[in-house]
Amino acid sequence: MNPAQAQAVAGFFVPAVRLPGERWCRNEMKQAAPDWEIDTQAIRAGQSRTQEHEHSDPIFATSSFVFDSAADAAEKFSGNRPGNVYSRFTNPTVRAFEQRLAALEGGEYCVATASGMSAILCLALATLSAGDRIAVSVNVFGSTVSLFSKILKRFGVIADFVPLTDLEAWERAITPRTRLVFVESPSNPTCEIANIEAISVLARKANALLAVDNVYCTPVLQRPLALGADVVVHSATKYLDGQGRCVGGALVVNDKDLFDKLFDTLRTAGPAMSPFNAWVFLKGLETLPLRMRAHCDNAAAVACWLTEHPAVQRLYYPGLTTHPGHEQALRQQSGFGGILAFEVAGGRESAWQVIDATRMASITANLGDSRTTVTHPASTTHSRISAEARDAMGVRESLIRVSVGLEDPSDICADLARGLDLIAERSRICAA
Ligand SMILES: *Cc1c(COP(=O)(O)O)cnc(C)c1O
């Protein structure tokens, strides 16, 4: 890098002599370089170098920070002076992750949390009181259902479950008591697509906040804030990490008052992200745009192959023109994602056979990993839900979910073919 280039780049960074310690994770990088494309943001946003001039982000493995004087401590504790206090609520490595994710989502503020579920818990604690209602889509993540319908219920918060794609049902469910509208799109595992913009209009009319769980798409494929959402929810455990290493979560918002409430909840309740995990996620974010495009390409290739297989009875992938959410996905996403699901002839027995016949794919409930994972939702992720409710969600015994990884798609197809070919062969013999 020549001196002119060095200066141009340095202009984007927080000066090295300044303590990295603003109390709020305001997105300075975005303001400094508003024109960066998402691939650049993923690599550059949020880094503030220390006086050591390190190239890669450092891990600040420290629980607390020292003050120059008693008066300095008092000022920083009160929030009157920016600066780190205690890693439950301010840590430079965590802040770098927050700023980078905020930049990617096109948001101003971010709060990182210990897990995706603690992000949702923080959101609920910060915005709801006894007597309030949540309107939430039926097919959200299983623990989100339990948090809303079991735990929050004990605190007097009532959840109303709404079919994701039924706008009239949303209109009926969002009442003056509704303070939070919670949507996950695409849904798990059948990839239904919500009309986020239309739901945001209904939420705004009722003065309720709209939160969108963006785990499936990540900001690379979908930016909920631009579609009218007030809060973006993340489980960093999935694609943001991308290699199945750490558990973490985050909330991204544009409104300063809402951010203050979330930050104060995190600070007081304490579900903080560890600096080490934040560092892993920072490294994950650097390759997120590249990986998401590759996940989409691989999933599309596997979906195309599955449409031709005689043992596949039904296939859920929003990239297929036959998928009911295809048009909506085209309107609000820039890619169809890396997750698909399909039904096989013969119920649970056949589904398990396909899963057990794989030799490469990992049998695990995690998703968004570089490794392809296969799951039988009815007996794992959705087993705590009643059979009737599962049916209503389309989670049948014959359904298999695949989080398509970054292996060569021909190897992924060959792995799925082991069990699918057996089923096709069996039904051919039966028919003969
Ligand atoms: C995994 C997941 C969560 C919860 O995140 P954790 O990091 O496991 O706590 C929430 N929503 C969706 C869509 C998820 O896939």
Side-chain angles (χ1 to χ4, degrees), residues 115-117 120 141 144 184 213 215-216 235 237-238 247-248 367:
S115 66
M117 286 320 302
I120 300 173
F141 188 67
T144 309
E184 190 180 308
D213 185 327
V215 167
Y216 263 48
S235 165
T237 318
K238 314 293 165 54
V247 174
L367 58 86

Side-chain angles (χ1 to χ4, degrees), residues 28-51:
E28 293 170 339
M29 299 309 294
K30 202 183 105 214
Q31 288 164 349
D35 296 334
W36 278 345
E37 299 294 336
I38 194 161
D39 289 67
T40 314
Q41 299 272 25
I43 292 167
R44 294 284 179 180
Q47 187 174 25
S48 52
R49 296 200 166 108
T50 72
Q51 49 274 53

